[in-house]
Amino acid sequence: MTKLQEKLRKPQPEEWMTTRGERRDYGFYMFGQNIIYTFVTTFMVTYMLMCGIPPMKSAAIMLIVKVWDAVNDVLFGGLMDKIKFKKQVKFLPWVRVSVVFIPLFTFIMYAVPGSIGENAKLFWFAAAYVLWESFYTLCDAPIYGMVTTMTSSLHERNTIMSHSSIYSALGSGFPALLGAYLVSREVGMSFSSVGGIFSVMALAAMLPICLRGKERNYSATDQAQEFGLREMARYLVSNKYLFIFFGSYLVCHCLGTGEIMNLFVSYYLFGNEMFSVILLVLTYLPVAILALFAPRLLKLVDKNKLFFWCSAAAAALGLLIYMVGYSNIYLFVGLNMLRGIPIGIRAFLVFMFTPDCAEYGKFKTGIDARGITFSLQTFSAKLTGSVSTALGMFVLGLYGWKEVVAENFEELVALDALQGPLQTPQAIQGLWVTYALIPVIGFILSTVFLYFYRLSNRDVQAMSDCNAGKITREEAIEQLNPKVKREFV
């Protein structure tokens, strides 16, 4: 058997610890969770700017909420590592607690009454947002951490996560496409009605894993050691790859102000908000095709190298889009389709690195702190979503963007017809900068961080085998690549 054939060899079913049903349920959870996350992050700016609240005030309230969220995530990560349940489970109880409340507060957040005053609107939104963030914390870190307790096999984990990434992509694309259509002038539904529909769909998709999921690769005795602030600090300081990867993630996604502007870019730059639907379909099409081959691609190319080069390609193509502009619609669409390929691959890979960092941290320190590790992932995802949203609104405010009061785009079109153009040319330029230029800076900085990430799939599998007691520490060190091995000899 050649090396290529060995890489492409499908593992036999008896080598896997999970069942097909569990893997499917895990994927459906990701589908539901991403319906919620995409709806909140993609439409929040549009919704707030159509609620009659000035951009600067909306940006301020989002950042204030993040102060609580920063404390909330760190506290929860520590609690998750300290609390031991009677049954041999670590993550499932948290997922079950949050599954109803996340959809509920998603709906409430998008149901701000139009009849109340500006300050009351801000209070309503802030309270719902804080509660949504808190319950989202209870599910996000545990569901991603659960892949490490479902199985000890790195290949099986990568397969589960790569397949679940397909569900995640569908969950991301579905509300972005359908939501834009439902609030457009073609249908004219309110944001609260659309939020209610998506919340019910997400709840139905997220429930099965809560009922049928199992954790096998975990024992409460794994956490028999005392785990306090000192141990937490030692674990974090020693886990350099955790800082490198999430440093890359933070700079990229905090500056990711492009997607949240899709509807306004379509309406103000291309004359119709439905253009965003067409653009999303054309952008997701090549990504969806590539997703089918993701597991095999990962057997041929190490994910850290693939992630690095996709980040570099996204930066180069994004800069080209900004320089070319949007006057030629066909060139604009073509370049966005091309850029969608590396961005899509990044999206499939991005959360596969957190389990690797967790294995590295335990191998390096002997401390099993998967809770704090995955809570950092949750915190980073929520922080970047809020910072990018606040940053986008702040930049629009600097360029003189005017707030309006409209339930949907049908009402916005009527306002434009009655009052004339609502936004100045300077404000439109600010929209283009926010959409096209700021994300490029994020991809460039992300690529710099990723240059220093050294962990390969082989390194992580050796560490995972050692952490699970299958091989000795000395045997694991011998299997590491030279650059990583230097840290332990």
Side-chain angles (χ1 to χ4, degrees), residues 177-417:
L177 295 171
L178 183 59
Y181 175 69
L182 293 177
V183 300
S184 72
R185 70 192 86 171
E186 302 293 329
V187 179
M189 288 183 67
S190 67
F191 280 94
S192 59
S193 298
V194 177
I197 292 171
F198 286 147
S199 294
V200 171
M201 292 180 65
L203 177 61
M206 294 162 71
L207 272 175
I209 194 68
C210 298
L211 302 175
R212 296 194 290 256
K214 293 181 180 179
E215 298 185 73
R216 302 172 183 83
N217 186 42
Y218 171 74
S219 171
T221 56
D222 290 346
Q223 292 182 348
Q225 78 270 22
E226 185 66 26
F227 189 78
L229 290 176
R230 181 180 297 177
E231 288 76 20
M232 184 188 299
R234 182 163 69 87
Y235 173 85
L236 291 173
V237 170
S238 300
N239 200 333
K240 70 175 185 179
Y241 291 111
L242 190 66
F243 284 100
I244 291 172
F245 179 74
F246 280 106
S248 162
Y249 182 89
L250 285 169
V251 295
C252 181
H253 292 269
C254 280
L255 298 176
T257 54
E259 286 190 15
I260 59 175
M261 298 296 170
N262 273 337
L263 282 173
F264 278 161
V265 165
S266 298
Y267 178 73
Y268 285 103
L269 301 186
F270 297 99
N272 194 314
E273 68 279 6
M274 285 299 294
F275 177 72
S276 67
V277 175
I278 298 171
L279 186 62
L280 280 169
V281 169
L282 294 175
T283 302
Y284 269 98
L285 191 60
V287 176
I289 295 171
L290 280 171
L292 300 175
F293 302 96
R296 295 219 170 177
L297 184 62
L298 287 174
K299 295 187 76 175
L300 294 172
V301 184
D302 213 291
K303 62 178 177 284
N304 63 338
K305 293 180 181 178
L306 185 59
F307 197 77
F308 173 85
W309 288 111
C310 285
S311 300
L317 289 167
L319 184 60
L320 184 59
I321 290 171
Y322 176 75
M323 294 172 65
V324 169
Y326 53 88
S327 58
N328 187 323
I329 189 171
Y330 298 105
L331 184 58
F332 176 82
V333 170
L335 287 173
N336 270 280
M337 287 181 66
L338 192 59
R339 184 181 62 160
I341 295 173
I343 289 180
I345 294 174
R346 284 182 90 263
F348 288 127
L349 298 177
V350 66
F351 291 132
M352 291 186 187
F353 290 86
T354 313
D356 295 359
C357 294
E359 295 290 1
Y360 172 83
K362 184 177 179 181
F363 185 77
K364 184 75 179 287
T365 65
I367 298 172
D368 184 6
R370 282 175 281 194
I372 191 65
T373 304
F374 284 95
S375 72
L376 283 175
Q377 174 181 298
T378 302
F379 170 67
S380 298
K382 292 192 297 180
L383 174 67
T384 55
S386 295
V387 169
S388 61
T389 300
L391 177 61
M393 299 180 82
F394 181 76
V395 172
L396 286 182
L398 290 178
Y399 277 85
W401 193 271
K402 298 177 183 177
E403 66 276 7
V404 296
V405 179
E407 282 281 329
N408 48 49
F409 277 89
E410 185 177 13
E411 293 186 12
L412 185 60
V413 172
L415 288 174
D416 261 328

Side-chain angles (χ1 to χ4, degrees), residues 32-109:
Q33 186 191 47
N34 275 274
I35 287 178
I36 294 289
Y37 186 76
T38 300
F39 179 65
V40 170
T41 56
T42 301
F43 295 98
M44 185 181 291
V45 167
T46 307
Y47 178 67
M48 293 301 288
L49 291 176
M50 292 169 67
C51 269
I53 302 173
M56 293 288 194
K57 290 186 177 180
S58 297
I61 203 71
M62 290 175 189
L63 290 177
I64 290 171
V65 169
K66 278 296 133 191
V67 174
W68 156 248
D69 198 40
V71 176
N72 174 42
D73 281 333
V74 174
L75 287 176
F76 176 63
L79 283 174
M80 191 159 48
D81 282 321
K82 289 178 72 70
I83 293 176
K84 291 178 285 188
F85 297 97
K86 291 183 179 179
K87 295 183 178 180
Q88 295 296 316
V89 290
K90 180 176 177 66
F91 297 116
L92 262 174
W94 304 106
V95 176
R96 289 166 177 163
V97 166
S98 61
V99 71
V100 173
F101 292 102
I102 298 169
L104 174 64
F105 286 109
T106 299
F107 170 72
I108 292 174
M109 190 161 48

Side-chain angles (χ1 to χ4, degrees), residues 153-173:
S153 167
L154 180 64
H155 172 71
E156 190 173 0
R157 290 179 192 175
N158 283 342
T159 301
I160 292 170
M161 297 195 74
S162 60
H163 286 168
S164 69
S165 293
I166 300 173
Y167 286 90
S168 297
L170 293 172
S172 298

